Amino acid sequence: MISVVIVGTGNVAQNLYQAFEKSNDVTIKQVIGRNREHLAFVKNNIAVSTTFNDIATADIYILAISDDAIKLVADNFKNTDGILAHTSGATSLEALKSAQRPGIFYPLQTFTKGKIISFYEIPICVEATNEDDLNLLKQLGETLSNTVVEIDSEQRKTLHVAAVFVNNFTNYMYTIGSEICEEHKINFKLLQPLIKETAAKLDTLTPLQAQTGPAKRGDQQTLHNHLQIIKDKHQRELYTLLSNSIKEKHGKKL
Amino acid sequence: MISVVIVGTGNVAQNLYQAFEKSNDVTIKQVIGRNREHLAFVKNNIAVSTTFNDIATADIYILAISDDAIKLVADNFKNTDGILAHTSGATSLEALKSAQRPGIFYPLQTFTKGKIISFYEIPICVEATNEDDLNLLKQLGETLSNTVVEIDSEQRKTLHVAAVFVNNFTNYMYTIGSEICEEHKINFKLLQPLIKETAAKLDTLTPLQAQTGPAKRGDQQTLHNHLQIIKDKHQRELYTLLSNSIKEKHGKKL
């Protein structure tokens, strides 16, 4: 049985809480959050705290808080014996240097307010400064997920950049798609099967193989027609830049 | 029972063929393709032709061919009585003006070579020049899909632009993500659950609501760190442009 303290009340904290709470291999000893109202999701039989004055004893302390708070909050855990692990993709192990046993427990997923998702297929990236701590973090990860990988801080930061492209920027492509639909009174929901299939294609193809569309085909007429339709200056700029990138990549390599 | 002739042997043609072939409400009278080898997917009991000299009689002729071939191929159907419908998102009804009964039968999906997908959830956009033809195309669509919508040529072209953003450009974001992973020897498959969840979020949220990430949060430190990691000039340019766009959109509206 692994005991944990969760620090934070945001989407990651709540998702981890729900997952650990269901697990027979993990006990949540305490949840710490600044705001008592935000701790309302915690069941009555689990301790909560709004300060760092009475931190419970646990094997692992999980900081599921915003990136810029990690360093400051970590200072409260100088004297705890357990592993102090943060859940950030973009923050190095260095940020926890005040801790005796720093670690990383980074679930590679996008968490949405009010939506509890299954961790089973979510890769959990772990890092620590010694083999024992690494094993304990791996063990904790394996209570949730079938994919626990050891990734160092440099690789994790790079993975986070890639995640920004495939998640944040992709969602921005959806945003523009929805704006174009809205402007022309078309139901954006019509595009949803296409959006899902675009993601599902990666089960069997690399993104390079999966590329389709007028830019890939070098279909100048359609590219020209599309630019006639797009009125927004910023959308036009993006359309041109991305189409040229795709043309260049596929013109050279295929 | 609706009878069809399919013209074309590409991904759309093959997917339509497989779907119609399974349907009890549709008979495929003939498949026409220039190249006999490419017609190999057609069962022995269905007629094939490599020319337009002996077009079978059918209720609907479906041109599932490349955009730039539509006009030329349509000329072969001047004297047929059935509806002549193309499957292109980017081509207007005008391109079929030589036909007596022009129409559109546009399945809004990305089709991949060798991958047969279910049409059930794929929206099929139909258009015709009279009510009877429209109804027949709708009826044909309903044999395959639970979403058949009447959309005029202008709206369809706009929908196609939106599709380029959410499909082609999204796939290009995946491509960059995979390049970043490859460069740093990280398994791109780790990002797949994230990619799928990014798409799945749209079941319950608008893309504007679903936006997350350092640009959305205005997290300058992470944006700066990411630009230190990205070496490729083109990727840096895209990262900056898209981050600024997200910052601007969410800075203004939220």
Side-chain angles (χ1 to χ4, degrees), chain A residues 190-201:
Chain A
L190 288 175
L191 288 166
Q192 232 159 291
L194 177 64
I195 285 171
K196 288 204 176 157
E197 175 65 13
T198 305
K201 270 191 177 184

Side-chain angles (χ1 to χ4, degrees), chain A residues 152-199:
Chain A
D152 68 30
S153 283
E154 279 316 302
Q155 278 187 312
R156 182 167 37 77
K157 282 185 200 172
T158 307
L159 196 54
H160 189 247
V161 176
V164 165
F165 276 94
V166 304
N167 167 230
N168 303 155
F169 292 168
T170 284
N171 186 72
Y172 188 62
M173 297 299 126
Y174 301 162
T175 307
I176 295 182
S178 78
E179 285 172 351
I180 292 171
C181 285
E182 206 171 303
E183 200 182 314
H184 292 83
K185 312 223 180 307
I186 297 166
N187 186 351
F188 178 62
K189 291 272 169 201
L190 288 175
L191 288 166
Q192 232 159 291
L194 177 64
I195 285 171
K196 288 204 176 157
E197 175 65 13
T198 305

Side-chain angles (χ1 to χ4, degrees), chain A residues 67-163:
Chain A
D67 293 8
D68 45 0
I70 290 172
K71 226 174 198 163
L72 210 67
V73 171
D75 284 343
N76 297 293
F77 292 82
K78 277 178 190 161
N79 302 317
T80 49
D81 288 330
I83 298 173
L84 181 69
H86 73 63
T87 57
S88 160
T91 309
S92 69
L93 202 61
E94 266 289 291
L96 302 176
K97 64 179 169 192
S98 62
Q100 296 174 33
R101 296 164 62 195
I104 311 284
F105 191 82
Y106 169 49
L108 182 49
Q109 186 52 283
T110 171
F111 295 95
T112 310
K113 203 173 171 180
K115 187 180 181 191
I116 300 299
I117 58 178
S118 160
F119 274 88
Y120 188 64
E121 291 193 17
I122 299 176
I124 294 180
C125 307
V126 295
E127 184 181 355
T129 55
N130 65 67
E131 205 63 27
D132 285 351
D133 288 356
L134 192 67
N135 284 336
L136 191 55
L137 287 170
K138 274 186 187 166
Q139 220 181 307
L140 181 68
E142 283 160 5
T143 67
L144 304 181
S145 166
N146 68 347
T147 312
V148 181
V149 284
E150 186 190 344
I151 279 189
D152 68 30
S153 283
E154 279 316 302
Q155 278 187 312
R156 182 167 37 77
K157 282 185 200 172
T158 307
L159 196 54
H160 189 247
V161 176

Side-chain angles (χ1 to χ4, degrees), chain A residues 223 226-227 230 235-243, chain B residues 169:
Chain A
L223 294 173
H226 282 179
L227 285 171
I230 305 171
Q235 290 173 359
R236 290 172 64 87
E237 185 187 359
L238 256 182
Y239 185 95
T240 305
L241 178 63
L242 292 171
S243 293
Chain B
F169 292 167

